[in-house]
Amino acid sequence: MATDWEEPATLIDLDGTAPFIGKLGDCIRHFVAFKPHAKADARILLTRPVAREGRKTRTWVLNPDEIAALAVDLPKA
């Protein structure tokens, strides 16, 4: 996935706390600050679907493992 750090996105969790709406890069920075149990419940909703290796369809949601992988490549702000 080519990463557009400026793409609008929404960080949500399955616990029901208020979502964080911002740029993808900002959502990932918030995710990195979470404690492990909060990371496990976090998802990022994208504004446009992305193709995934091993999947026939594109998806609008990034799971915790995918968010963590993107965090490694996140440019320093």
Side-chain angles (χ1 to χ4, degrees), residues 5-47:
W5 303 110
E6 299 297 312
E7 175 184 349
T10 304
L11 176 64
I12 61 168
D13 68 48
L14 303 178
D15 261 350
T17 46
F20 174 81
I21 300 169
K23 297 175 183 172
L24 178 59
D26 294 335
C27 289
I28 293 172
R29 284 183 187 89
H30 274 77
F31 172 85
V32 169
F34 286 172
K35 294 183 180 186
H37 70 279
K39 286 182 180 180
D41 287 341
R43 305 292 185 273
I44 292 181
L45 300 174
L46 303 170
T47 55

Side-chain angles (χ1 to χ4, degrees), residues 1 3 21 52 54 62:
M1 164 172 115
T3 308
I21 300 169
R52 297 285 200 14
L62 296 177

